[in-house]
Amino acid sequence: MSSVRVRFAPSPTGQLHFGGLRTALYNYLYTKSFNGKFLLRIEDTDRERTVPGAIEQIQSILKWTRLKPDEPPVIQSERVDIYRKYLNKLFGKLNHQNQPHVYRCFCTTDRLMLLRHDCKRRSQPYRYDGRCKQLTEKQQNEYLQQGLPHVIRFSLPTDKSGTQSYDDLVYGHHEHNPYATEGDFILLKSDGYPTYHLANVIDDHLMDITHVLRGHEWQTSTSKHLLLYKAFDWQSPIYGHLPLLERERGRKLSKRDKENAINPIEIDYYRQKGYYPNAILNFITLCGGGGFTDNDKIIGTDLDEMISLFNIKLFSRHAAIVDFKKLSLCQRAHFKREYDKSVESRQQIIEELRQKVLHYYPEKNSSTSIQLQNDYLEKCLNMLDIRINLLDELFTNNLYEYLWKEPEIKKDFIDNTEHFKFVIKQTLLKLNEIHFTHDDVKKFVEEYRPNKITNKQIFRIWRLVLCGCLQGPPVHEIVTFFGSNIVQKRFENALRVLDQQNENVQVKL
């Protein structure tokens, strides 16, 4: 299948989100697994909803993720004359029921609204009643001369021949008769712009599209498109529909969802935050329906590796649940991959971290500042072992403050002053002998006579003295990271704090 040609056809009505990028990615993976072509088409015929700058933003995201189109983009709003030209070819053509394929409809908005209300009252699906199909040519010309607004509708077959069947790449055999659920649909709107149904069929034909992968919500519309292909006497592409993306609680993924404030679905948000593009693509495949023998092996792969592993036959038919916890796994995997890739890539990350230090702590802009030195920054990253998603977390998360500023020991953390003083004094006394291990703790427990002291309490005190917090890497790693001089000063200052009995006194290096 060397001639596979697919297209990604977004509408520029807002920022590109996970649902849209998922469609682009799977089209790209599918066609590139056959060495085919990936094309971009901007479907901007809904002029009222088109957002300025959205086209450029879509193209920018595709470039960032390396989903690069193989040909210049097709812009539908620039092709209105083409759609009218091909639509005019259907006028005068009759279907097998001796009915015109298309006709002009002059029904007003008020009449259509009344028709919709009547269908609702009778508990029937809304279906246009075909009234204007009965207009004579003379009546149509009179209305046209009067300048009455009108649309152009497609005349659906009313018998069983209207049922269209095809083999969906994802869902298998599918058939549907659009006449059973709706009336003759609109091809050209009153503003002269085509609807999605007309424009996408004409463009797919002219762009030589062989396969169409799109969202599941378009599956029932495919029967309309197949009827249009037959009316034009064109060969239709092969269709595949991707399962819907839903949030964790089973709701359809939407940028209007209140959870969007916590976990946004717009891709540009994650690009601006510093996420790796391949991490975003991995995340989409983990949540987007599969397509791989082992989904866990996708974490940490780049786009080329994903192409080699992709198989459309492994795609799931079930709704895909977006679990944002998986995004952290993917980001950390690519953070580590980039950090370990080469000396140059590691140095680039270290330099980014240095700039973050200067951004969050501008007062450290000094040649003598240890926190700006390469060795210190590299030791930070090595000790944390990429437990973070983004470098900013080293500054916005209180757990990492001890790396950049003097820790605080608050009185709220001191549950037993005698315990604290004993552990600190014993640590200073034996600083050259101990390694802050469980064996050292055992000796401390044996030597503490007044009351019982536990291993957990000793480690807790050590951590508070060194970091001012209760969580983080193992204590012995922190000690190795700081070195004996800084460790000694922190314990000495901690003892001074206890003696002064101040609640919030900073421990200075």
Side-chain angles (χ1 to χ4, degrees), residues 350-351 353-358 361-377 404:
I350 292 172
E351 183 56 38
L353 180 54
R354 191 183 349 265
Q355 295 307 313
K356 297 288 185 185
V357 176
L358 292 172
Y361 298 101
E363 68 275 10
K364 295 188 181 295
N365 191 4
S366 169
S367 58
T368 59
S369 177
I370 187 174
Q371 283 97 346
L372 294 179
Q373 295 177 8
N374 253 36
D375 288 347
Y376 185 88
L377 297 174
W404 320 111

Side-chain angles (χ1 to χ4, degrees), residues 108-141:
T108 64
T109 302
D110 289 341
R111 181 182 184 274
L112 295 175
M113 189 175 297
L114 288 173
L115 184 61
R116 188 179 297 274
H117 286 323
D118 185 57
C119 290
K120 185 176 182 180
R121 180 180 59 82
R122 290 183 286 133
S123 300
Q124 295 180 351
Y126 171 69
R127 178 190 287 118
Y128 178 63
D129 58 5
R131 177 181 179 181
C132 288
K133 192 187 299 186
Q134 311 305 322
L135 293 176
T136 64
E137 188 172 344
K138 180 181 178 181
Q139 289 174 310
Q140 292 186 49
N141 289 332

Side-chain angles (χ1 to χ4, degrees), residues 277-291:
N278 282 327
I280 298 296
L281 298 182
N282 286 173
F283 172 62
I284 288 174
T285 60
L286 290 180
C287 303

Side-chain angles (χ1 to χ4, degrees), residues 327-344:
L327 179 56
S328 296
L329 296 177
C330 297
Q331 173 66 9
R332 290 175 188 177
H334 281 283
F335 196 158
K336 185 170 181 59
R337 175 172 177 161
E338 196 67 21
Y339 188 69
D340 295 336
K341 184 170 67 174
S342 66
V343 174
E344 292 77 14

Side-chain angles (χ1 to χ4, degrees), residues 166 205 209-211 225-226 229-230 234-239:
Y166 65 95
H205 172 72
I209 299 301
T210 61
H211 296 74
H225 304 159
L226 292 173
Y229 276 105
K230 290 180 179 179
W234 293 341
Q235 176 66 43
S236 64
I238 297 171
Y239 288 94

